Amino acid sequence: MQSATRGRSGTAEILEQMGPGDQVFLDYDGTLVPISSDPTSCFADRELLSILDGLGEEYDMYIVTGRSAEDMRRFLPPRYRVIALHGALLLTSEGDVPLIPDYSRYVEICNSIALRKNEIREMFHGARLYNKVGGITVNTWLMDTATRGRLEDFMRSLAEESGMELYLGKQVVELRIPGVNKGDAIRKFRKHGRKALIAGDDITDEEAFIKNSDALTVKVGPGETSARYRVSDYMEMRSLLRELIRRS
């Protein structure tokens, strides 16, 4: 990963290079909506829906998120295409399409782990476990540092036992389907001859930046990044997208 100096402000360059018909791949939490201590409350507001509608009319747009299908169906109307679970599932207005083999097997693994929800809550004070039906997330906003460290060790062992992959993110510890990542998922949907804008704020988005280094990659927020450009927060990202629509 490159130093924090990477990811320069260069929204004017992005606006000059993108045009109608090009592709836009956007993370959700922290990129389009603020990060929240309550992961069940991250609904799209009217402004965001207006932006997404405008992008959808002019660009080939996807939301790319680690969120579950259930979460994204609650947060967004079904008219948007969503690549969920880091790239394991495509949500469309016509239904859900698994993007990996053996998806149903990983659903069964997650359902089995979720049966231990109360046990994990008792072991780790402040843990909030969510079955993403293709992933397991433990929200750690209410957890102290020492407890989170013990949780990480526990989840690492659980990952080894179940064949899942451990991911440590912003206020989350997650088990996800091995080998699935946003970078490879986006590459599946890239179209030859089309420019692509890819934006995100978390470690999983760095995989997208690295594996799509030819794209116009945008880091949202502070921190080290491999992205070519940077905006300060989700509000500046929305401003960039509004201007992209206005110029199309």
Side-chain angles (χ1 to χ4, degrees), residues 29-72:
D29 296 273
T31 299
L32 297 176
V33 298
I35 296 289
S36 172
S37 59
D38 180 3
T40 66
S41 66
C42 301
F43 294 91
D45 54 38
R46 289 183 180 180
E47 178 191 50
L48 177 57
L49 294 178
S50 175
I51 290 171
L52 295 179
D53 285 341
L55 286 172
E57 290 177 2
E58 300 292 342
Y59 296 91
D60 185 21
M61 183 191 70
Y62 295 83
I63 307 297
V64 189
T65 177
R67 288 274 195 171
S68 69
E70 180 183 1
D71 279 348
M72 297 313 296

Side-chain angles (χ1 to χ4, degrees), residues 16-229:
E16 289 171 2
Q17 295 186 59
M18 291 288 290
D22 285 335
Q23 296 188 281
V24 178
F25 299 91
L26 303 169
D27 174 44
Y28 190 72
D29 296 273
T31 299
L32 297 176
V33 298
I35 296 289
S36 172
S37 59
D38 180 3
T40 66
S41 66
C42 301
F43 294 91
D45 54 38
R46 289 183 180 180
E47 178 191 50
L48 177 57
L49 294 178
S50 175
I51 290 171
L52 295 179
D53 285 341
L55 286 172
E57 290 177 2
E58 300 292 342
Y59 296 91
D60 185 21
M61 183 191 70
Y62 295 83
I63 307 297
V64 189
T65 177
R67 288 274 195 171
S68 69
E70 180 183 1
D71 279 348
M72 297 313 296
R73 288 195 198 97
R74 289 193 301 111
F75 296 155
L76 289 173
R79 60 182 178 269
Y80 308 118
R81 290 172 299 179
V82 178
I83 301 170
L85 294 170
H86 304 291
L89 197 64
L90 174 66
L91 315 183
T92 74
S93 59
E94 298 177 354
D96 302 348
V97 181
L99 298 175
I100 62 165
D102 296 330
Y103 171 71
S104 59
R105 182 170 72 87
Y106 290 108
V107 170
E108 292 176 2
I109 291 172
C110 292
N111 288 341
S112 177
I113 293 172
L115 294 176
R116 303 178 64 180
K117 182 176 184 176
N118 291 335
E119 173 193 348
I120 293 171
R121 282 178 170 175
E122 291 177 2
M123 292 172 61
F124 306 100
H125 179 71
R128 290 179 289 176
L129 185 146
Y130 301 92
N131 181 7
K132 301 200 297 184
V133 194
I136 295 288
T137 293
V138 182
N139 184 286
T140 62
W141 275 90
L142 304 178
M143 194 176 291
D144 60 50
T145 303
T147 304
R148 165 145 179 164
R150 290 193 298 108
L151 173 69
E152 290 178 5
D153 291 340
F154 175 82
M155 296 292 281
R156 187 172 290 107
S157 296
L158 199 56
E160 293 174 357
E161 294 171 9
S162 64
M164 299 290 281
E165 183 176 87
L166 179 69
Y167 163 68
L168 307 177
K170 293 181 179 178
Q171 304 297 340
V172 297
V173 178
E174 182 175 352
L175 299 181
R176 65 183 189 180
I177 297 172
V180 173
N181 63 79
K182 291 183 179 181
D184 289 335
I186 289 172
R187 290 195 67 83
K188 290 179 183 178
F189 290 92
R190 294 281 302 274
K191 294 178 180 177
H192 181 70
R194 302 262 189 103
K195 293 185 176 64
L197 168 64
I198 302 173
D201 75 305
D202 208 348
I203 297 171
T204 57
D205 301 300
E206 293 299 322
E207 296 169 320
F209 301 155
I210 292 169
K211 294 192 175 191
N212 294 272
S213 58
D214 60 315
L216 300 168
T217 50
V218 182
K219 164 75 170 178
V220 181
E224 296 185 353
T225 187
S226 297
R228 295 166 61 184
Y229 305 101

